[in-house]
Amino acid sequence: MKKNYVIVLMLLSACAIIAIACSKGSDDPPADPCSGVTVAVSGTPTNPSTPGGTNGSINATASGGTGLTYSLNNGTFQSSGNFTGLAAGNYTVTARTSAGCTGTQTFTLTSPTPSCSGVNIIVTATATPGGACSSSTTGSINASATGSTGITYSIDGASYQATGTFSNLAAGSYTVTAKDVNGCTGTTTVNIAAPVAGPLFSAVRTLIVNNCQSCHNNSIANGGMNWQVECNIITNKDRIKARAVDNNPSSMPPSGALAQADKDKITAWLNAGGRYSD
């Protein structure tokens, strides 16, 4: 009986040892599948063929695991390491195994230096002056270029644009630059002339200066009229006709009606359009 008791104790002790061992093993973290694994990425970069071009590529391969997939700049993984349609710049290719182990490599694509030898870009431009005292008081430039392709345009060093039309320009001199797809340029200078007063308006302006401006100027603006400002003459041409030509409701100037020859000058200007350029 004593012998059987000893055997039972021995069996219980063995089970306890096995239970402790099993319990201890269940608390250990799982082994890292990437421990000791090196995923090496290599590849062949191909630079864009033209300045600003987007036909560069990277053909990458990797070793160190199976089921490899590839990602460019943290993008979606794909089965191939071939990436196309790339511009100049820095790119990171990541290779990942089926176990999730990764490796990376950085590639640099460069843009070729443009060669403008033999390229002659000729720029022509026409200027349209603005009309003084009109709804279009600023001028414009319309430029075009020949001698290359992919032309864009800039005025006085501003950002390039697809067309050679520039508007809302004050009178003055401007430099228009045309640039092709390779960065080769051509320039021309164009001048927007200041608006020129027409002879009919000039005659009316002289009449008003001589007869009315003493009472309608920057300091004294009787009736709210300031004839020192040329555009006020155009804005108020109907009032000038009523007072100086029709004498309605009274003549202008107050000293007496204008001579018929002077009235005819105002009428001729109004019949021509009553503009600054008339």
Side-chain angles (χ1 to χ4, degrees), residues 208 212 216 227 239-240 243-245 247 250-254 256-258:
I208 291 178
C212 308
H216 305 278
W227 302 127
R239 180 185 179 115
I240 292 172
R243 297 290 303 278
V245 178
N247 300 322
S250 59
S251 65
M252 184 183 75
L258 292 175

Side-chain angles (χ1 to χ4, degrees), residues 165-216:
T165 300
F166 304 92
S167 56
N168 297 322
L169 302 176
S173 180
Y174 296 88
T175 298
V176 177
T177 301
K179 180 175 69 174
D180 71 3
V181 68
N182 293 319
C184 306
T185 60
T187 62
T188 191
T189 300
V190 60
N191 184 68
I192 296 180
V196 177
L200 299 179
F201 171 76
S202 297
V204 172
R205 179 180 56 191
T206 299
L207 278 174
I208 291 178
V209 168
N210 293 337
N211 294 278
C212 308
Q213 201 174 92
S214 61
C215 298
H216 305 278

Side-chain angles (χ1 to χ4, degrees), residues 218-240:
N218 292 333
S219 300
I220 306 171
N222 287 330
M225 296 293 105
N226 177 4
W227 302 127
Q228 277 189 262
V229 178
E230 291 183 332
C231 291
N232 283 348
I233 298 174
I234 296 166
T235 301
N236 295 281
K237 58 189 175 185
D238 291 338
R239 180 185 179 115
I240 292 172

Side-chain angles (χ1 to χ4, degrees), residues 15-267:
C15 288
I17 292 172
I18 292 172
I20 292 171
C22 292
S23 175
K24 182 177 180 181
S26 65
D27 290 337
D28 291 340
D32 182 2
C34 297
S35 177
V37 175
T38 300
V39 179
V41 181
S42 60
T44 302
T46 301
N47 295 321
S49 61
T50 59
T54 58
N55 62 339
S57 64
I58 297 172
N59 189 18
T61 58
S63 60
T66 60
L68 288 162
T69 54
Y70 301 84
S71 167
L72 183 69
N73 289 349
N74 297 319
T76 303
F77 280 88
Q78 62 183 43
S79 59
S80 168
N82 189 36
F83 301 95
T84 60
L86 305 179
N90 296 321
Y91 297 90
T92 298
V93 175
T94 301
R96 183 176 66 185
T97 68
S98 57
C101 308
T102 60
T104 62
Q105 183 63 266
T106 298
F107 301 89
T108 299
L109 302 184
T110 59
S111 181
T113 301
S115 174
C116 296
S117 177
V119 177
N120 184 24
I121 298 176
I122 299 174
V123 185
T124 57
T126 56
T128 302
C133 309
S134 70
S135 59
S136 177
T137 59
T138 53
S140 62
I141 292 174
N142 188 31
S144 61
T146 59
S148 191
T149 59
I151 298 288
T152 54
Y153 300 86
S154 168
I155 188 167
D156 285 353
S159 299
Y160 282 87
Q161 61 182 46
T163 71
T165 300
F166 304 92
S167 56
N168 297 322
L169 302 176
S173 180
Y174 296 88
T175 298
V176 177
T177 301
K179 180 175 69 174
D180 71 3
V181 68
N182 293 319
C184 306
T185 60
T187 62
T188 191
T189 300
V190 60
N191 184 68
I192 296 180
V196 177
L200 299 179
F201 171 76
S202 297
V204 172
R205 179 180 56 191
T206 299
L207 278 174
I208 291 178
V209 168
N210 293 337
N211 294 278
C212 308
Q213 201 174 92
S214 61
C215 298
H216 305 278
N217 52 59
N218 292 333
S219 300
I220 306 171
N222 287 330
M225 296 293 105
N226 177 4
W227 302 127
Q228 277 189 262
V229 178
E230 291 183 332
C231 291
N232 283 348
I233 298 174
I234 296 166
T235 301
N236 295 281
K237 58 189 175 185
D238 291 338
R239 180 185 179 115
I240 292 172
K241 178 181 183 300
R243 297 290 303 278
V245 178
D246 301 333
N247 300 322
N248 180 27
S250 59
S251 65
M252 184 183 75
S255 57
L258 292 175
Q260 187 59 47
D262 289 336
K263 291 183 178 183
D264 291 342
K265 292 178 182 178
I266 296 174
T267 301

